[in-house]
Amino acid sequence: MALDEVMYVGDGFNDTPALGIVGWPVAMGNAEPVAKALAAHIVADVEADGVAEALEMAIASRG
């Protein structure tokens, strides 16, 4: 699988290297601004099931 087909979900500065190289960079709604700036998509906060939202988006894209 090529990196442009990979989704990465992050919320902090430590996630920025990965968010910068994948094809589907996703930030959580409660993410630090630097992570949101790199994201192509922003999902709900952790407490509001943002990861599930990202997974649904990935599944729908296969479609």
Side-chain angles (χ1 to χ4, degrees), residues 6-63:
V6 173
M7 174 184 278
Y8 185 91
V9 181
D11 65 358
F13 177 78
N14 62 308
D15 296 308
T16 59
L19 288 168
I21 63 170
V22 298
W24 286 66
V26 178
M28 301 299 297
N30 58 304
E32 295 176 16
V34 66
K36 286 182 175 180
L38 290 171
H41 305 279
I42 298 175
V43 295
D45 291 356
V46 172
E47 295 83 15
D49 298 326
V51 173
E53 184 181 341
L55 289 171
E56 289 172 359
M57 185 178 10
I59 292 166
S61 75
R62 297 302 230 172

